Amino acid sequence: MSELSGPIGAVLTPLTADLQPDAAKACIYYRKVLDGGCAGLNVMGTSGEAMSFSASQRVAFMTALAQAGLPLSRMMVGTGSVSLGDAILLTRTALELGFAGVLVMPPFFYRGVSEEGLVAFFDRLRTAANIPAARLFLYNFPAMSGTTFTVELVRRLSGVVPIEGYKDSSNDPALQNALHEAFPKLRIFSNSEGELLRAQHEGLAGCISGTVALWPQRAATLWEN
C-alpha cells in the first residue's frame, strides 16, 4: 500500500466508436501517465465517468487492465454504486484482480440517507466483497453523493469495515485536518495538486486529481522535493 501516496492521477476512460470502454487505448494512456511521474492512478472514478457505465462494462474494463499487466499495486479503482449488489460485484472483482485499493462513494441517488443506513451498507459490502485490511478508500464527494464522511461517520464506519484511506473532493482543509487528528494512520488525499505542499506539510498522503495526468512529472517533482 505504500505506493498509494503522493500525486495520483484520476484518469479518463477512453471509448470506442460505439461508446464502450476502450481498454487497449486505456493501457497505452495509463502506462504513459505512470511512466511520466504519477505515483499511482485512480481508474473508473469521477474523471473516468464510472457511473455512466454498466456494472458489466466496469468489470470487463477492470479485467482487461489486469490482464494487460499494468502495475495494479499503483492503481485504485472506483467501485461505488447506487446498487449495493453492483457495489459488491465491482469491489469483489477489483480486489480479486489485485488492484491496490477500491475507492467507494456511498449510494448517492436518494438523499438524506441516515448514518445507520450508511453503516449498514458498508457492513454488508465488507462482508459480501470480503474486503481485507488496507484496501478500502472512502470517497468524500458531497456535491455528487449528498453525503459527507464526517469524523463521526468515519469513526462509526471504522467499527464495521477496515478503512485505509479517504479522498476528499470537497477539498475542505479543516475536515482533512480534523480527520488526520482523529485518525493519524488514515491516508487522506486532497483533490488538487495545488494542495500538495500543504498536504505534505500536514502529513497527508497526497492528492488524487484529474489534472495531475496532464503534468505528472511536475506534480511528482513538487511532492518529492
Side-chain angles (χ1 to χ4, degrees):
M1 300 305 103
S2 61
E3 292 179 280
L4 290 178
S5 63
I8 294 178
V11 286
L12 307 177
T13 305
L15 299 178
T16 63
D18 60 349
L19 304 182
Q20 298 296 313
D22 191 331
K25 286 184 179 179
C27 288
I28 296 170
Y29 165 42
Y30 296 168
R31 288 185 192 278
K32 182 176 180 180
V33 176
L34 286 167
D35 292 344
C38 266
L41 300 181
N42 171 220
V43 303
M44 280 282 168
T46 302
S47 296
E49 300 181 277
M51 302 305 173
S52 298
F53 302 115
S54 68
S56 60
Q57 287 176 311
R58 294 164 73 178
V59 166
F61 186 72
M62 286 190 284
T63 302
L65 296 185
Q67 291 174 344
L70 288 171
L72 302 188
S73 64
R74 296 170 62 189
M75 298 171 66
M76 62 171 65
V77 59
T79 61
S81 176
V82 174
S83 160
L84 174 60
D86 285 352
I88 290 168
L89 171 64
L90 295 164
T91 300
R92 184 193 298 126
T93 299
L95 294 173
E96 290 176 349
L97 288 171
F99 284 90
V102 289
L103 184 64
V104 183
M105 182 181 284
F108 52 84
F109 183 79
Y110 294 104
R111 301 305 171 100
V113 177
S114 68
E115 289 195 357
E116 289 74 16
L118 292 169
V119 170
F121 179 93
F122 277 91
D123 188 21
R124 290 185 178 232
L125 177 63
R126 174 195 61 82
T127 301
N130 193 26
I131 300 175
R135 304 290 285 279
L136 174 70
F137 292 74
L138 296 177
Y139 190 3
N140 187 58
F141 201 169
M144 299 292 284
S145 70
T147 295
T148 298
F149 285 118
T150 63
V151 170
E152 180 54 35
L153 180 52
V154 172
R155 182 172 288 112
R156 294 187 65 179
L157 289 171
S158 64
V160 300
V161 64
I163 301 171
E164 172 70 5
Y166 184 109
K167 185 202 173 183
D168 179 30
S169 283
S170 70
N171 219 28
D172 181 349
L175 174 60
Q176 294 165 22
N177 291 339
L179 286 161
H180 184 56
E181 182 177 351
F183 312 100
K185 294 183 179 180
L186 190 67
R187 303 174 68 78
I188 300 171
F189 295 85
S190 71
N191 76 332
S192 169
E193 59 271 36
E195 297 290 313
L196 270 177
L197 289 180
R198 179 187 65 81
Q200 191 172 68
H201 177 72
E202 295 175 1
L204 307 185
C207 76
I208 301 173
S209 167
T211 48
V212 162
L214 297 175
W215 35 74
Q217 186 59 57
R218 291 186 177 187
T221 299
L222 180 66
W223 180 256
E224 293 166 4
N225 298 318

